Amino acid sequence: MRLITHNMLQCHVKGCNANNFPLEFQEVELEQEEAEMNEDFLRNMLTKLEYDALVSTCLKLGINDLPATMPADAAYNDEFLQILHRVILETHVKSGKMICPNCKHIYNIRDGIPNMLLAEHEV
Amino acid sequence: MPQFLIQFAQQHEEFRLPELEALATIENVQMTYNPSDYSLELWGKGSSWDDLIEKVKEHPERWPQYLHTTFKFSVVTFGGTIEMKDKPQIINRFSFTGFLGKIDLKNPEEEFLLIADYGIEPDSVVAHTFYMGRLVGNGRRDLIDKFNVKKRRYIGNTTMDAELSLIMANQALCGSGKLVYDPFVGTGSFLMTCAHFGAMTVGSDIDGRQIRGKGKASIYSNCEQYNLKGRVLDALVFDVCHAPWRRINGGIFDAIVTDPPYGVRAGAKTLGRKDPAKQATEPRMAVEEGVLAHLLPDYVPPTKPYEMTEVVADLLMFAVKNLVRGGRLVYWLPTVTEDYAIDDLPTHPCMELISNSEQAFGQWSRRLITMEKVADWDSKTGLGAPSGDMNKSTTSPKRPGHFGFRDRYFAFSAVENAKRKKELKEAYQKGGSEGVAAYMKELEEKKKNSQP
């Protein structure tokens, strides 16, 4: 699972509606895999990303390449887009857990595939 | 405005004009067309070769710029045939254009087509319309071969055939920079075809086994096969009724492209128990281990059947909430032919119907529905319900043609099976084992054209 996907996910257990994002990583195994750069897509996602959550998640994973705030000229800042690309599209979580900061539900990631299914009593 | 003549592949005809319109939108081309006529830069149109020649001669100003290019002429027919030996004669009649360039039959810089249209009646022997024009482009029929399901390493029982998957990607206006989502991803066909046109794609499915695949065959291996690993973002396991997507103002997805499961092998499922009384509200203990069941690594929550009218209504509501403005929902609606009516489709004030194309299979058919989000959503507007109360009588008021589709599809199969048994018996009585073999072969042919 790529970090861009993590940035779009929140806990969705029944009744868990506040403080349910971002999910906290634990025991993760990361992998870096090159991908073709697509500026159009990065620009499309700039307004959709929750940037603060992305930065804080990255710092906890030991990735400190992103500036603390998004540059004002982000859409046409090649250097920034390059870093963003590497972080959100080339960084994969191969295995680990995502834990809801609110209800503590554990979502497991195995073979790079997150299991976001809810348990019977959570729907 | 320049005029062009487009000849479409004569398969899935109902899908061609909507697809053309989608392509024009993608490329930002202003287009009007005359559907009764139905890509070629048109130089003339006539009722006979003589008439056509007169029409082409009216515009000699078109010719000089091709005076010295290498070229070839081809005679093409639609709905009829012209014998090989007669073609040079026809071509020679167009020598008045005076082209001086070299004739190159393999790689000409320009190709000119002479078209005789015999119409769609199967037994027409006389062409009624003749065209001449300069070829400006060929279709990408080669992609159908590239994405051919038979050559794909990982497929499932319900994998959509390549041509229709590609049409769907165009209907969704897939292009560079877009984010496309399939909530019933299965083995990931649409992730591939949409990504081929430049979109980034993501999918989910309630059944994780489909995503993971077996051994070395999986969605991931298909991404490798088509060299699309960089564009197919992720496949996640969850139920789209309980989707973990963060709500983003203005929507996340540029398109939702999907084929909700309905067939014999895979009916749609949603989380929960069929009997609501048995549904647990507190965590359950695992039988032996003394731990909570849902925390075990191989825990699979219970699922119940997900009826087709609910699937479609939920899908539309999901699209309303999660598409960007201008984003498209493209999905297949299976339906019982005799019960289908246009108002079966659930509607929403934020969504506009772009096209509705039918692929018929006799008693049932599936329809490719394309809708576009035309207004921002506010939480007050709900779905316009399809006509009829779905939980009451089967006859009145009318139920949508896709209500309870899976069961009714089974009923068709049961009748079909009984018929086959009888035919098989007759084939044996008539021709012994050879008769059976011939019958089986015929059946196989038929099956090819009717499986979902």
Side-chain angles (χ1 to χ4, degrees), chain A residues 38 40, chain B residues 26 169 172-180 194-195 197-200 254:
Chain A
N38 184 335
D40 291 339
Chain B
I26 294 172
L173 309 182
C174 286
S176 179
K178 302 244 178 129
L179 180 61
V180 178
C194 293
F197 293 109
M200 296 290 195
D254 296 290

Side-chain angles (χ1 to χ4, degrees), chain A residues 96-100 104-108 115 117 122, chain B residues 295:
Chain A
K97 293 172 177 173
M98 294 187 284
I99 298 166
C100 171
K104 309 296 174 201
H105 180 104
I106 302 169
Y107 299 97
N108 289 303
N115 182 350
L117 284 174
E122 293 171 326
Chain B
L295 296 177

Side-chain angles (χ1 to χ4, degrees), chain B residues 18-39:
Chain B
E19 190 184 25
L20 177 67
E21 287 183 7
L23 290 170
T25 308
I26 294 172
E27 301 293 343
N28 205 6
V29 173
Q30 297 264 335
M31 180 185 72
T32 56
Y33 57 84
N34 180 353
S36 68
D37 257 0
Y38 94 91
S39 42

Side-chain angles (χ1 to χ4, degrees), chain B residues 33 49 114 151 153 180 188 198 221 281 284 294 305 341 365 375 379:
Chain B
Y33 57 84
W49 288 121
L114 306 171
K151 295 181 188 168
R153 269 182 240 152
V180 178
S221 77
T281 49
R284 278 179 204 240
H294 72 279
S365 69
S379 54

